[in-house]
Amino acid sequence: MTAVATPEQPRHTRIVATLGPATDPPEVLEAVLRAGVDVVRLNFSHGDPSAQVARGEAVRAMAAKIGREVGILADLPGPKIRIETFADGKVQLKAGARFDLVASLDAPPGDASQVGVSYLELPADVAPGDVLLLDDGLVQLQVDAVEGERIITTVLNDGVLSNRKGLNKQGGGLSLGAITERDRELIAVAAGMGVDFIAVSFCRSAEDMHEARRVARAHGSNAALVAKIERAEAIENLAEIVDASDVVMVARGDLGVEIGDAELPGLQKKIIREAVAREKVVITATQMLQSMVDSPMPTRAEVLDVANAVIDGTDAVMLSQESAAGSWPARAVETMARICRGAERQFAFETDFEKARRGLERADQAIAMATMFLCEHIGVRAVVAMTESGGTARYLSRFRSSVPIFAFSHHAAARRRMALMRDVFPMEYDSRGQTPREAARGSIRLLVEAGLLSPGDRVVFTSGEHMQTHGATNTLRLLEIGPDGHATGLGEL
């Protein structure tokens, strides 16, 4: 039996950690996974894909060694617009100076007066008065004129600009699509690795997600699709993007650059609410513990940032540079886990069932709602769910609760996908050939033996009349654990 939590003080919020040079030593990778990582992120924007393949293989081996379910997320680079290189590596720009962007394959090496850009269609997407943001907004340019392939701008603030920095347009409006040819190649690589999640960068619409799903399925991948919300256009199309995705990521870096820092906190809450309401998993990401790249301790502001994301209802919080290239990768994970537990202890969700979704079309959705209603009203210690694909666990976890959901499946891929769901603790159990009652006895006995349940505890057990059938959950039982560790029925619905 494998699980994502220890018996003592389980953490309900999941942790995603980006792998990189800092985690490549086997002893560091082991320490990071043991510290509480539930899903690792492989950033295909950097380095050769073979390095990410090697990291994925190392994660699978290490997770098996330590007996934990760890998912793998492949993050596609997407159509990131970047400036090209400078003759001297970087330049100092002065406010009020002219600075040209040259959208040409033949652009000369950059200097203090100009630099090339990677997106050759940029002149068609901008107009006089637009503000362009470089290096996550540290350098701002106002467009004065567009002359052919040359965009003439005025520098708005002093700043240093170096090679290959990113470029955004304030307020959005760039027309390039989300799935590039490079992304298609990398989806094939990710499919060959058997990753559990594929993240689509800079998606603008539901069609971007549909396209990524078609490419993934064509390469034989059943990975869950993650929509990274980092464009202003994505906010305008948020509901349809969420519906077209399995997971949503609040990618606060580029999103904050495009829509402005002042709007970001409110949008984070909106995206999380929308995802949970539409029964999708949600990750909050970017610079959550940024100071821990160099420091062994986070700032108080970072602690509050992580805690607020937990209180907002996010399923997972993510480490980027902190784990991939920082000096303290394992400590960053431990810190994240500690903050999550603290926020969970101090803040209890109360589900308003009057506002719960009406007109449910699926039996497993209705069973999930009834289960969580019981949890809220009669003092249930845990939910035990038999699931094939993890769908039942996902529906259960949309009702934020302090009650742990122990989700049993014999499918390793399903358990790894469930590792990203808040409140869900994936467990290995082979119920093939068993009746629902036999599966209930067997799974609950394992939880008692592991110290996760005790005599006298009440649990809700959910399953389908026909085991091993996807989406067939249609039964719940209220059980109580007797002195001998066996479950006895208190009722059935």
Side-chain angles (χ1 to χ4, degrees), residues 279-299:
E279 299 175 334
K280 301 301 172 72
V281 178
V282 56
I283 306 167
T284 304
T286 314
Q287 295 183 335
M288 302 209 79
L289 296 177
Q290 184 68 17
S291 69
M292 291 194 72
V293 172
D294 301 306
S295 169
M297 294 290 291
T299 66

Side-chain angles (χ1 to χ4, degrees), residues 2 12 49 53 149 216 218 224 235 364 379 399 418 449 480:
T2 52
H12 290 248
V53 173
E149 61 190 21
I235 298 298
D364 45 2
F399 296 91
M418 289 189 288
E449 292 172 352
E480 185 173 299

Side-chain angles (χ1 to χ4, degrees), residues 28-37 40 58-59 62-63 66 68 70:
V28 177
L29 178 62
E30 180 173 356
V32 164
L33 296 189
R34 288 188 183 278
V37 170
V40 299
V59 167
M62 189 62 71
I66 66 176
R68 296 190 67 246
V70 180

Side-chain angles (χ1 to χ4, degrees), residues 259-463:
I259 57 93
D261 290 339
E263 304 299 324
L264 193 55
L267 283 177
Q268 173 175 306
K269 296 176 186 296
K270 176 181 178 180
I271 295 166
I272 292 173
R273 283 198 306 268
E274 193 76 18
V276 174
R278 293 179 178 272
E279 299 175 334
K280 301 301 172 72
V281 178
V282 56
I283 306 167
T284 304
T286 314
Q287 295 183 335
M288 302 209 79
L289 296 177
Q290 184 68 17
S291 69
M292 291 194 72
V293 172
D294 301 306
S295 169
M297 294 290 291
T299 66
R300 292 292 183 266
E302 289 167 340
V303 171
L304 290 170
D305 182 32
V306 174
N308 277 319
V310 173
I311 293 168
D312 286 344
T314 192
D315 285 270
V317 287
M318 192 174 97
L319 296 166
S320 298
Q321 191 178 1
E322 305 96 321
S323 55
S327 301
W328 312 89
R331 185 172 292 188
V333 177
E334 293 167 354
T335 300
M336 187 79 91
R338 186 176 68 252
I339 297 168
C340 289
R341 287 192 179 96
E344 291 164 1
R345 283 195 300 270
Q346 297 297 328
F347 187 86
F349 282 92
E350 293 185 4
T351 302
D352 186 349
F353 286 94
E354 290 298 319
K355 296 181 180 179
R357 185 175 171 185
R358 296 291 191 269
L360 301 177
E361 299 177 355
R362 298 170 56 102
D364 45 2
Q365 291 174 309
I367 290 295
M369 182 180 293
T371 297
M372 300 318 291
F373 186 87
L374 286 176
C375 291
E376 289 273 326
H377 290 86
I378 64 171
V380 170
R381 172 67 183 83
V383 176
V384 179
M386 307 303 296
T387 180
E388 284 288 298
S389 64
T392 298
R394 176 164 58 87
Y395 292 135
L396 287 165
S397 71
R398 297 311 87 189
F399 296 91
R400 295 294 187 246
S401 172
S402 60
V403 176
I405 301 163
F406 297 108
F408 287 86
S409 176
H410 69 274
H411 295 289
R415 296 196 301 272
R416 291 193 298 266
R417 285 194 295 271
M418 289 189 288
L420 194 57
M421 300 174 188
R422 182 164 173 159
D423 302 332
V424 175
F425 301 89
M427 315 287 283
E428 182 178 2
Y429 185 81
D430 193 347
S431 62
R432 287 174 292 186
Q434 295 185 341
T435 66
R437 290 184 184 276
E438 290 171 335
R441 294 191 192 101
S443 58
I444 291 175
R445 183 175 62 252
L446 288 176
L447 292 171
V448 172
E449 292 172 352
L452 296 167
L453 293 177
S454 304
D457 285 343
R458 286 182 172 184
V459 301
V460 176
F461 178 83
T462 70
S463 67

Side-chain angles (χ1 to χ4, degrees), residues 85-88 91 108-116:
T85 59
F86 293 93
D88 296 325
V91 297
D111 55 28
S113 67
Q114 64 179 3
V115 71

Side-chain angles (χ1 to χ4, degrees), residues 78-81 119 125 173-178 180 202 204 208 231:
K80 179 81 173 182
I81 300 178
Y119 178 43
D125 285 351
L174 299 177
S175 61
L176 71 174
T180 67
F202 303 102
R204 303 168 303 170
D208 288 334
R231 278 184 168 179

